[in-house]
Amino acid sequence: LPLWSTAGLDLTNGGVHEALHHDGTPADLGFKRLRVLARQIYCFSHARMLGWNGNSDNVLHHLFNTLTGTGWHAEGGWIHTFRTDGSVLDDQRDAYDQFFVLFALAWLWRATKWPEAEEWARRTIEFVDARLADTENGGFFESTKQTDYRRANPHMHALEAFLAWYEATGEQAFLDRATEMVTLFRDRFFDHETWSVTEYFAPDWSPCTDRVAEIEPGHHYEWIWLLLRYAEVSGDGSNMSGTSRLWPQTEALKAGLRARLDGLPGDETLFIRMLDVIFNRYLVTPVEGGWFDQLDARGRVISANMPTSTFYHVFCALVEYLDFQNRQTGA
């Protein structure tokens, strides 16, 4: 933080240097990417929230003023690259860039509560919806410059940006947008045959056939991180029931017995614990051979009767246990 808040800033031309030499002096690459400016806004905003005692207010004002003063296109959206002197080099509005700015603004707003951060975020979303959203096939186009391909990567950062704004505001609309990106991941990006993320697509989201297949390990890890965060904030997946029926316990017994016989690694005590639960919690009705079908979270009986369908599960589990005993003793 001390290095990049000083040597990393371009106080002459605005924003940040695209790179530094290993001795900390600026490296002139001939261009400066707007997304790098956005990334630094995120870093110093988050650092401020973590209690960094550097010159965060001045740094953030410098970065934000450069972004809004030179990065916004007259027709809307954030430009792609600057020249080293701060003038515009490429004014296309790239989807990846838009979402990185949106992500940065979420953290800037959390760190400072500057109303301007929220206003620029609103303008960014309006531009993306109007110019880059694909209302027919879903997701977003690569850029305002027409391309013959689409990528998963900008949508990964769209998910990151929408999650950041949801965590900043708690507004359901942002979580809904994040859900759309997760759905796109499940339906398009994730290859269920290879368990990998497809990177390039044709405009209709069919996988590109004219590009060499690429696996980006870094992107895989990013997706994992983001999907886990999404699951945490959205409660994604099945709700956990507080009640317990008998038949899952019998299936756990069967699985535990078979795993023990086959020497599979794991919990070798599972079948013993399941036997204890089944015989001491469920098979204790007033009538011999009966069962309580369901217990609540405190172990109290809540079932009104004994479903006949459960007999299959109990019978199979006990037969499996007898077979296990016979094999153990060689009978």
Side-chain angles (χ1 to χ4, degrees):
L1 289 168
L3 173 67
W4 296 97
S5 65
T6 54
L9 300 184
D10 185 349
L11 298 179
T12 301
N13 301 304
V16 299
H17 298 295
E18 182 67 21
L20 297 180
H21 292 297
H22 291 147
D23 64 0
T25 58
D28 187 351
L29 305 185
F31 65 88
K32 297 165 69 174
R33 294 175 295 171
L34 179 131
R35 68 183 60 173
V36 177
L37 176 57
R39 289 183 179 191
Q40 299 304 79
I41 290 175
Y42 155 70
C43 290
F44 289 109
S45 296
H46 200 161
R48 189 177 192 268
M49 293 178 63
L50 293 174
W52 178 56
N53 58 2
N55 194 16
S56 61
D57 278 351
N58 286 343
V59 171
L60 288 173
H61 276 293
H62 169 77
L63 300 176
F64 184 65
N65 290 341
T66 301
L67 175 71
T68 57
T70 65
W72 188 255
H73 195 283
E75 297 176 1
W78 304 100
I79 61 100
H80 188 47
T81 57
F82 305 97
R83 295 182 180 88
T84 305
D85 65 6
S87 60
V88 174
L89 176 63
D90 184 347
D91 71 348
Q92 69 170 300
R93 274 59 49 78
D94 179 90
Y96 188 111
D97 297 333
Q98 312 308 306
F99 291 120
F100 243 113
V101 172
L102 188 63
F103 169 68
L105 291 173
W107 283 92
L108 180 63
W109 187 82
R110 288 182 67 180
T112 66
K113 291 299 187 291
W114 293 348
E116 299 91 340
E118 195 170 23
E119 173 61 22
W120 279 107
R122 182 188 61 78
R123 295 178 67 179
T124 303
I125 292 174
E126 288 177 352
F127 170 79
V128 167
D129 286 346
R131 294 291 302 278
L132 296 178
D134 182 353
T135 57
E136 181 178 352
N137 298 304
F140 302 94
F141 297 113
E142 279 290 305
S143 170
T144 52
K145 282 188 176 180
Q146 189 172 1
T147 63
D148 61 357
Y149 65 88
R150 304 175 75 174
R151 295 182 301 153
N153 200 23
H155 298 80
M156 181 177 72
H157 292 295
L159 172 58
E160 184 176 37
F162 294 142
L163 284 176
W165 273 106
Y166 175 69
E167 290 173 322
T169 66
E171 293 182 14
Q172 182 65 35
F174 289 116
L175 185 59
D176 291 342
R177 287 178 179 268
T179 300
E180 291 176 5
M181 297 302 100
V182 172
T183 300
L184 201 59
F185 173 86
R186 290 169 172 161
D187 294 346
R188 300 292 188 179
F189 306 154
F190 182 69
D191 187 324
H192 292 266
E193 292 186 4
T194 64
W195 281 64
S196 64
V197 178
T198 302
E199 296 287 345
Y200 285 92
F201 298 85
D204 64 355
W205 286 124
S206 58
C208 276
T209 58
D210 59 344
R211 290 177 177 267
V212 176
E214 290 184 347
I215 299 295
E216 290 274 5
H219 289 167
H220 281 63
Y221 289 124
E222 280 189 279
W223 275 112
I224 292 168
W225 178 68
L226 286 167
L227 291 169
L228 289 173
R229 285 184 56 209
Y230 170 80
E232 180 182 3
V233 301
S234 68
D236 189 32
S238 301
N239 291 328
M240 182 75 73
S241 172
T243 64
S244 306
R245 294 194 63 190
L246 169 58
W247 73 265
Q249 324 307 318
T250 63
E251 297 308 306
L253 172 59
K254 289 162 57 180
L257 290 167
R258 182 59 57 178
R260 179 67 175 269
L261 281 175
D262 292 349
L264 298 178
D267 186 354
E268 294 187 352
T269 66
L270 175 63
F271 81 95
I272 297 174
R273 290 186 289 109
M274 288 300 100
L275 280 171
D276 176 65
V277 167
I278 290 169
F279 276 93
N280 292 308
R281 303 296 291 277
Y282 291 91
L283 305 185
V284 288
T285 53
V287 58
E288 188 174 3
W291 50 81
F292 292 121
D293 185 65
Q294 192 169 20
L295 310 179
D296 68 11
R298 298 177 62 182
R300 297 173 299 191
V301 176
I302 58 174
S303 51
N305 51 44
M306 296 184 292
T308 305
S309 60
T310 305
F311 180 56
Y312 155 81
H313 292 282
V314 175
F315 184 82
C316 287
L318 296 180
V319 169
E320 189 74 14
Y321 178 68
L322 290 175
D323 182 60
F324 172 82
Q325 291 287 72
N326 290 335
R327 294 193 189 202
Q328 293 287 91
T329 60

